[in-house]
Amino acid sequence: MTKTAVFPGSFDPFTIGHEDVVIRSLPLFDKIIIAFGYNSSKSGFFDLEKRMNWVRQLFAEEPRIIIDSYQGLTIDFCKLVNANFILRGLRTAADFEYERAIGQINKTMQPEVETFFLLTSPQYTAVSSSIVREIFRYGGDVSKFIPANMSLE
Ligand code: ADP
């Protein structure tokens, strides 16, 4: 059985914390699909196509990492792409409470899909897309918080 994990998120934008989760998880799965969840009524800060292209370029040399997008429920997307794992990162107790509820609901709805949690590397605990957006909005330097080979252009 191919071990496929979906890493769902808005990735608005993809940060060094997200990159860390993907790289550390790669040895555990055959394939990781970084799945940009979107909602037609809520467009996000950065354009979706741009966000996806930045990550596509970042992992261009790694055929086991795939970039995709979806609307609707993550478990429906998992079924569509034949994924048996959902990958999520945990930074804080607040993340844990939020993720626990979603993970348990997903498990009830789709028992064959397991959610796999990875604790953040300590140095990335404070990194979030919302903080990067805030710095960017006011013209600050975001380079320390996004992957080294990515630029928000
Ligand atoms: P969402 O909009 O679903 O919360 P995000 O794009 O903010 O999605 O994050 C996607 C996933 O990455 C979530 O599981 C989140 O907890 C995790 N994540 C975000 N920032 C970090 C970080 N600095 N370290 C580890 N995991 C992180």
Side-chain angles (χ1 to χ4, degrees):
M1 185 176 75
T2 309
K3 283 183 284 178
T4 302
V6 165
F7 183 33
S10 2
F11 308 116
D12 189 19
F14 197 81
T15 69
I16 202 162
H18 296 133
E19 181 188 38
D20 182 61
V21 168
V22 171
I23 291 171
R24 286 165 56 213
S25 307
L26 201 53
L28 304 172
F29 302 106
D30 298 308
K31 192 163 90 177
I32 294 181
I33 303 175
I34 303 175
F36 287 69
Y38 72 97
N39 184 331
S40 44
S41 63
K42 209 176 102 200
S43 59
F45 181 77
F46 291 103
D47 174 71
L48 176 67
E49 271 310 312
K50 266 192 183 174
R51 271 185 264 156
M52 291 177 70
N53 270 332
W54 292 331
V55 182
R56 225 175 252 131
Q57 281 169 21
L58 182 66
F59 294 119
E61 304 297 316
E62 181 43 84
R64 295 192 300 127
I65 298 177
I66 290 153
I67 316 303
D68 207 341
S69 66
Y70 70 102
Q71 282 197 74
L73 297 178
T74 305
I75 47 164
D76 288 341
F77 179 70
C78 289
K79 220 187 309 177
L80 186 74
V81 296
N82 263 324
N84 17 33
F85 299 94
I86 294 173
L87 178 61
R88 296 288 284 177
L90 288 179
R91 285 163 295 184
T92 60
D95 269 0
F96 172 75
E97 274 308 317
Y98 175 75
E99 298 291 344
R100 183 189 55 75
I102 295 179
Q104 289 175 337
I105 295 293
N106 282 342
K107 180 74 181 162
T108 306
M109 292 172 77
Q110 195 76 346
E112 58 276 25
V113 176
E114 292 290 354
T115 305
F116 180 93
F117 297 105
L118 199 63
L119 278 183
T120 187
S121 296
Q123 68 273 31
Y124 301 137
T125 303
V127 177
S128 68
S129 297
S130 57
I131 287 178
V132 172
R133 287 197 300 274
E134 201 64 5
I135 298 170
F136 181 87
R137 195 180 273 130
Y138 294 106
D141 177 11
V142 297
S143 60
K144 287 201 175 99
F145 311 112
I146 61 174
N149 293 324
M150 202 180 102
S151 82
L152 303 182
E153 276 160 26

